[in-house]
Amino acid sequence: MRILTYIRQVLDAEESVHIANDAVALENSKLVMDTMDEYGVEEALRLRESGIEAEIVAVAVGSARIQDALRTALAMGADRAIHVETDTRLDAIALSKVLAQLATQEQATLIFSGGQQADWDSHALAAATAERLNWPQVTWTSALELKGTTLTGKHDADEGSESFTLELPAVVTTQQGLNEPRYPTLPNIMKSKKKELRKESLDEFDVTPKLKFVSAEIQVKNRLNKILDGKDAPAAAAQLVDLLRNEARVIA
Amino acid sequence: MILIVVEYANGKVSKSTWEMITAARESGREAPLTALVLGSNISAIAAEVARAVDQVLVADLPALAQYDPELWSAAVAQIAAEGEANLVLIGGSRSGREYSPRVAIKLDAPLLEDVITLKSSAETNTAQRYTFLARVTETIESTTPIAVVTIKPGVFNPATPKAEAAEQFDVDLNLPTPRLKVTGKTAERSSRISLSEAEIVVSGGRGVGSAEGFTQYVEALADQLGAAVGATRAIVDAGWRPYSEQVGQTGKTVQPKTYIAIGISGAVQHLSGMNKSKTIVAINRDPEAPIFKIADYGIIGDVTQLVPAILTELKK
C-alpha cells in the first residue's frame, strides 16, 4: 500500500510574528515542520514497522523553503517526497484539490494530515481532501491500528472520545498524544539526501482559490503586567487578592 | 436564505446555535433565517429554536440518531442547494469543523472557518478569524454567490428567543451509508461548571507537582471562586486530569472574564486557547515563564505556598 503524509511548514512556536504588507512575513523567521504533521509521519513509519508493507510519500505545497520540511520527513524515514512549488497562499479548500489529485495519481489508500495547521489555524484540509476523493475521514485520532484494510482506533469527538473502525481508503488527522515523533539520526539525514524529492508545478493542478486574504494584524491586548514577588507568600497573596477585588473587580 | 445548522446537546439547543443566530442577524445579509435540525427525536429542539428564526426545517430520522460527518455534510449540502441558500452557518465545534469542509466542496463554495466577525452582502462575505495559534487576526473575503461559514464559539452574543414560534417543515433527505463505525464512547463530563460558559477559569499545569497537587491547589481555588477547572496538555497526557478539561490548541478555547493560571509556563499551544481572556492571572516559580508576558496580575513564587495563602486570604 502507499501512504501519503501531508506536511506544512510553519513558524517555529518560539518565534515572534511579524506583519508586512498586510500579511504575516516569514522571510526572516525560523520555520519548522508543523508538529501536528510530525505525528502523521511518525504514525506512517510505525505502521510500516509493525509489518505492513507500505511506501511512505511525504507531500508538501508551498515555497522553495518547504523542501526543508520534506527533507526532515525523509530523514525521519519517508521513502520519497513530492513538492508542489508555489508562492501563492492557498486556503484549505483550494489546497485539498492538489492533495486529492496527488493521492489519485499515487494510488494512495491512506493519507495522514495534522489535526490543525499552526499557520492558518484551520481544521479543514483533511476533511476537504476526503470529500474530494469520496473517502471517509477520521479526525483527531489518539490511537491507531491497521489490520489488513481495517483501521481501528480512538479519536476525539464533541464530548470525550470515541472508538472506531473504518475500511481503507481513508484520511486520518493526527495530534499530540498519538505517538512520540522520532528525531532524524545523522546516518538517516545523510541517507535522505539521496532520496527522491520530485518537484511539481501548481499549474498542473488547476486550482482557483475562492477565498482572498485581505489583511493581517497582530492582536495586542495591553496587559497590566503587575507581577509581584512571592517570597513572602502571605503578603503577596494578600496583595493579589486586594488587586483582584478592588482594582480589577473580578472576584467578590 | 441563510441556513443555520442547529447544534444541541442533552435535549437542549446549544449556546453556539444562539450565537450563530446573532452572527446571521448582524451579518447584514437580508434573507430569511432558516434553522435546520438534524437528528432523531428532535421535536423539542425544533420547537425551541423556532422562537428565534423565520422557519425551521426538521429531518427527524433514525439514521441521524448518531452524528456522522458524511451524513451531516450530505444533509446540509442537499438542503442548502434545494433552498438556494447563500450563507450556510455551522458551529465551530469539533463536529462542525469536521463536516463543514465537506459541505463547502459539495456546494463548490469557499469555507470561512472559525470566524469572529462576519459582514455579508449579496456580493461579498468578509470575515475575521484568528491565525498563527491565535496570535494574529486575519481578514478574509469571498465573492462567490454562496459561502459556508463556521462560527467560533463564545464570541457572538447569544440571541434571545421570542414568544412566537416560526413554522416548521419536515424535509426528505437522500443520505449515504456511514462508513466510520463508532464502536464505543467515553464521555468525559465534569460535574463542575462547563469551561466554555464559566466567568472564571482556574487552570493548572506541571507546576502543581502531581494529581494530588492539582486537587489541593487548582480545584480548591476553583471551588472557592465558583470557577471552572482547566488543565494543560502535559498534565492531561500524564493522566492527572481528563481530556474534557484541556485548554489549548488541541483542547478547548476559553474566553472567560478571568483566567487564573497556576503552575503553567505558557507554551504557545496553551496560550492560543486562553489568550483572549479578559483578565489573566498567573502564579509560577519561573520569572521567565511566557505566561507572565500576557498576564495582568501575577506572582513569581511557589505554588504550594501561594495558593494556600490566597485561599486563606479569600476566606477572610
Side-chain angles (χ1 to χ4, degrees):
Chain A
M1 66 180 287
R2 191 166 288 135
I3 306 174
L4 291 195
T5 73
Y6 183 65
I7 286 162
R8 305 274 286 166
Q9 192 183 38
V10 298
L11 190 66
D12 186 308
E14 303 300 318
E15 293 267 283
S16 316
V17 187
H18 303 284
I19 306 274
N21 303 321
D22 279 332
V24 174
L26 298 170
E27 289 75 24
N28 301 312
S29 304
K30 185 183 174 195
L31 304 182
V32 294
M33 189 199 298
D34 197 336
T35 32
M36 294 262 180
D37 298 329
E38 274 181 40
Y39 301 109
V41 177
E42 179 62 35
E43 201 58 22
L45 296 172
R46 287 186 188 204
L47 287 181
R48 188 173 60 190
E49 285 160 2
S50 77
I52 288 155
E53 215 172 288
E55 188 191 29
I56 301 166
V57 185
V59 175
V61 180
S63 66
R65 281 178 85 184
I66 212 168
Q67 67 177 14
D68 297 344
L70 286 172
R71 286 281 171 212
T72 305
L74 292 172
M76 285 173 77
D79 297 300
R80 57 188 172 88
I82 302 170
H83 176 194
V84 181
E85 193 169 334
T86 175
D87 287 322
T88 307
R89 190 173 164 194
L90 300 174
D91 66 276
I93 298 292
L95 209 47
S96 71
K97 194 169 177 190
V98 181
L99 194 51
Q101 287 177 68
L102 284 172
T104 306
Q105 284 167 20
E106 292 288 331
Q107 296 177 302
T109 47
L110 179 57
I111 299 176
F112 285 113
S113 167
Q116 180 190 339
Q117 282 77 49
D119 49 2
W120 184 229
D121 281 19
S122 166
H123 307 79
L125 183 59
T129 305
E131 175 65 26
R132 289 194 191 274
L133 291 164
N134 189 24
W135 291 5
Q137 79 205 57
V138 60
T139 55
W140 297 104
T141 48
S142 52
L144 200 65
E145 221 182 302
L146 178 62
K147 283 210 176 93
T149 56
T150 309
L151 278 177
T152 56
K154 239 178 108 173
H155 83 127
D156 296 334
D158 276 341
E159 295 287 337
S161 60
E162 294 173 345
S163 310
F164 65 84
T165 70
L166 185 60
E167 286 297 309
L168 293 184
V171 181
V172 174
T173 81
T174 52
Q175 61 166 324
Q176 192 174 352
L178 175 63
N179 56 45
E180 206 46 67
R182 68 198 65 190
Y183 288 105
T185 59
L186 189 61
N188 284 338
I189 292 171
M190 301 312 289
K191 260 190 247 166
S192 74
K193 294 190 169 153
K194 294 196 185 110
K195 289 181 180 173
E196 179 189 309
L197 197 164
R198 194 171 91 218
K199 298 268 183 184
E200 300 251 9
S201 158
L202 185 65
D203 301 341
E204 315 281 306
F205 296 89
D206 184 29
V207 177
T208 316
K210 290 184 161 67
L211 260 194
K212 259 196 345 223
F213 303 100
V214 179
S215 64
E217 56 187 319
I218 294 175
Q219 275 275 304
V220 193
K221 182 174 183 320
N222 284 328
R223 296 289 178 181
L224 296 171
N225 271 128
K226 291 194 179 171
I227 312 297
L228 315 170
D229 184 343
K231 276 196 204 77
D232 181 349
Q239 211 183 334
L240 179 70
V241 170
D242 179 57
L243 286 167
L244 296 181
R245 271 192 183 136
N246 301 315
E247 187 182 273
R249 295 173 192 277
V250 293
I251 58 172
Chain B
M1 72 179 187
I2 301 176
L3 187 67
I4 291 177
V5 188
V6 175
E7 291 197 329
Y8 56 90
N10 307 318
K12 279 189 73 73
V13 174
S14 299
K15 199 171 151 212
S16 61
T17 301
W18 305 111
E19 292 169 0
M20 283 191 269
I21 292 168
T22 301
R25 296 251 185 245
E26 290 178 356
S27 71
R29 177 68 74 108
E30 309 255 334
L33 203 53
T34 304
L36 172 63
V37 191
L38 300 171
S40 179
N41 297 319
I42 44 174
S43 51
I45 302 292
E48 194 185 346
V49 78
R51 294 173 51 211
V53 295
D54 301 320
Q55 61 170 345
V56 183
L57 305 180
V58 187
D60 196 336
L61 302 166
L64 294 174
Q66 284 275 359
Y67 161 76
D68 178 280
E70 294 192 65
L71 297 191
W72 254 244
S73 57
V76 174
Q78 186 194 320
I79 299 298
E82 284 172 3
E84 296 177 4
N86 27 43
L87 204 52
V88 180
L89 300 190
I90 295 171
S93 56
R94 270 190 198 287
S95 54
R97 285 165 169 172
E98 182 181 72
Y99 75 80
S100 53
R102 299 191 89 117
V103 176
I105 287 175
K106 283 180 201 291
L107 295 172
D108 197 19
L111 174 67
L112 290 79
E113 255 186 296
D114 275 338
V115 310
I116 54 168
T117 66
L118 178 64
K119 288 286 160 246
S120 181
S121 72
E123 288 82 36
T124 57
N125 300 290
T126 308
Q128 286 181 302
R129 60 190 304 276
Y130 298 132
T131 58
F132 288 85
L133 299 176
R135 292 190 284 175
V136 174
T137 305
E138 287 196 81
T139 303
I140 51 175
E141 192 182 272
S142 73
T143 51
T144 46
I146 177 165
V148 177
V149 180
T150 60
I151 302 291
K152 191 173 181 70
V155 176
F156 291 89
N157 287 321
T160 319
K162 301 169 291 192
E164 73 214 71
E167 216 177 327
Q168 296 183 28
F169 304 92
D170 288 323
V171 292
D172 288 324
L173 294 172
N174 305 312
L175 294 173
T177 310
R179 291 182 282 189
L180 178 74
K181 288 188 183 68
V182 174
T183 53
K185 274 182 194 291
T186 323
E188 289 167 335
R189 276 210 191 84
S190 150
S191 55
R192 291 169 188 280
I193 312 171
S194 91
L195 267 173
S196 46
E197 282 165 28
E199 299 225 322
I200 306 178
V201 173
V202 182
S203 270
R206 275 205 186 280
V208 303
S210 61
E212 293 70 34
F214 194 98
T215 304
Q216 206 175 337
Y217 309 119
V218 181
E219 291 196 279
L221 187 57
D223 286 342
Q224 181 66 34
L225 295 170
V229 165
T232 62
R233 176 90 218 201
I235 74 166
V236 170
D237 280 350
W240 299 357
R241 302 304 299 178
Y243 173 70
S244 56
E245 289 176 3
Q246 188 183 310
V247 173
Q249 188 191 4
T250 55
K252 293 198 170 80
T253 301
V254 298
Q255 217 169 347
K257 287 202 174 120
T258 312
Y259 189 89
I260 304 178
I262 299 176
I264 292 176
S265 63
V268 67
Q269 289 85 353
H270 182 76
L271 301 186
S272 74
M274 48 65 77
N275 64 6
K276 303 293 183 280
S277 304
K278 204 157 170 244
T279 299
I280 294 174
V281 183
I283 301 170
N284 201 295
R285 192 180 307 177
D286 175 10
E288 303 298 319
I291 191 85
F292 285 123
K293 291 201 183 98
I294 64 154
D296 294 289
Y297 302 98
I299 309 181
I300 299 163
D302 190 348
V303 166
T304 63
Q305 288 179 16
L306 286 165
V307 178
I310 291 166
L311 285 166
T312 307
E313 196 63 35
L314 286 170
K315 285 171 192 157
K316 273 185 190 168

